[in-house]
Amino acid sequence: MTTGGQAPPSGSSAGSFGYRDRHSGHHSWGLAAVASPVGHTEVRSSSSAAQFSHTAGLGATAATVDSAHRRQPEGALDGRSAAMAQHVTVPVVRARKGGVPLVMITAYDAPGARITSDAGADVILVGDSLGMVVLGYEDTLQVTLADMVHHTAAVARARPDALVVADLPWLTYHLSPEETVRNAAELIRAGAQAVKLEGGVARVPMVEALTRAEIPVMGHIGLTPQSVHVMGGYKVQGRHADAAAALVADGAALAGAGCFAIVLEGIPAEVARVVTESVSVPTIGIGAGPWCDGQVLVFHDLLGLEDRVLPRFVRRYGALKADAVSAIRSYADDVRARRFPSDDESYHAAGEVTAALSPPLAGPASRLA
Ligand code: KIV
């Protein structure tokens, strides 16, 4: 994997593919360095797109303090800065552009939210990857708004320090700006602080309507899993120069319409770099290389709860599926061998209760009488 500094590619002034973020005046860079077409690569993971995910940290200057959410006194942060234990807000995320990379992880329930937030994630995404990693569907298209509301509420009840962003599922933001706002409001009422939607230029009216309704929006371009049938599978996007240029235009359009951050999924690192340098808001990558302003991974992929596939963009930091299988096997062995529960793991009745329940001593003499 390519790594390197943040200097723009040489000869990168906005050329034929130049775009300007209308809010920031940020230029995009030319696309001369975009890799030549090499054919599509299947990148499907456990979660369709979930397939890909990440987290963020807090710049001290950007952080705001909400003492109601401060869980640990300063000095008890186990190596993390005090700022990292503060409640993360949309302005905090936006201010992280070009700073310490943002960390975003998906979560779908209260324990997942507590684990993710306690680990210092900046953003929890209640992703529609829910459909694949939790609900057992083949793709994300089966996920309903009711599913998302149910799981967003579970995440929010954990009161995480991380910002909670909820995915708008397929067909909840495609028909009209009005319907989009109404559907997004359900997620906000369930406890999300922002919503995410997939797509570029075509979504500008919806992003503008949400922004006008005071609902912060995260964009998502590149490999957009809700478009699986249009893409013909979970394939890396933006490999050709025209497709790469379209992604740059999509990024600029979303940022211009008011998105506070943009997920870049399943695109070449070089293209993600150009998009990142073209917009004034943070980009959060998944399968999009190292130059994004943050990274996102799916909870089940990162922890090895999902072990059936290992896409290139996933790094496993745990083997929880294997650990869980082994733990449950040990429990089953103990039950079958009557090693569980032990005396200490059992409740005991008082002596007189035990005596009252005991059958009378049935020796031969009493039987004769
Ligand atoms: O649904 C999801 O989990 C996502 C991330 C992979 C970005 O959209």
Side-chain angles (χ1 to χ4, degrees), residues 46-61:
S46 53
S47 58
S48 101
Q51 316 115 305
F52 304 88
S53 80
H54 86 165
T55 352
L58 301 182
T61 52

Side-chain angles (χ1 to χ4, degrees), residues 20-40:
R20 188 185 277 271
D21 175 336
R22 100 169 118 92
H23 285 178
S24 68
H26 274 57
H27 274 296
S28 70
W29 305 104
L31 293 176
V34 170
S36 61
V38 292
H40 282 145

Side-chain angles (χ1 to χ4, degrees), residues 52-54 97 104 196 218-224 247-248 250-252 254 261-277 279 281-289 291-296:
F52 304 88
S53 80
H54 86 165
K97 176 73 187 174
M104 183 159 89
K196 177 167 80 61
M218 182 180 280
H220 183 164
I221 56 176
L223 193 171
T224 46
L247 283 173
V248 176
D250 284 337
L254 291 175
I262 303 171
V263 169
L264 306 181
E265 174 165 356
I267 64 176
E270 297 77 9
V271 177
R273 181 178 189 173
V274 173
V275 175
T276 298
E277 291 171 354
V279 296
V281 297
T283 59
I284 301 178
I286 175 161
W291 287 304
C292 299
D293 297 301
Q295 297 292 327
V296 52

Side-chain angles (χ1 to χ4, degrees), residues 13 26 54 77 82 122 138 151 167 202 218 223 249 274 299 327 333 364:
S13 62
H26 274 57
H54 86 165
L77 292 172
D122 301 304
E138 284 294 306
H151 286 268
D167 259 343
M218 182 180 280
L223 193 171
V274 173
F299 187 88
D333 289 348

Side-chain angles (χ1 to χ4, degrees), residues 184-203:
E186 300 238 354
L187 297 175
I188 299 296
R189 290 206 171 102
Q193 284 129 5
V195 299
K196 177 167 80 61
L197 51 72
E198 297 181 6
V201 172
R203 305 291 175 236

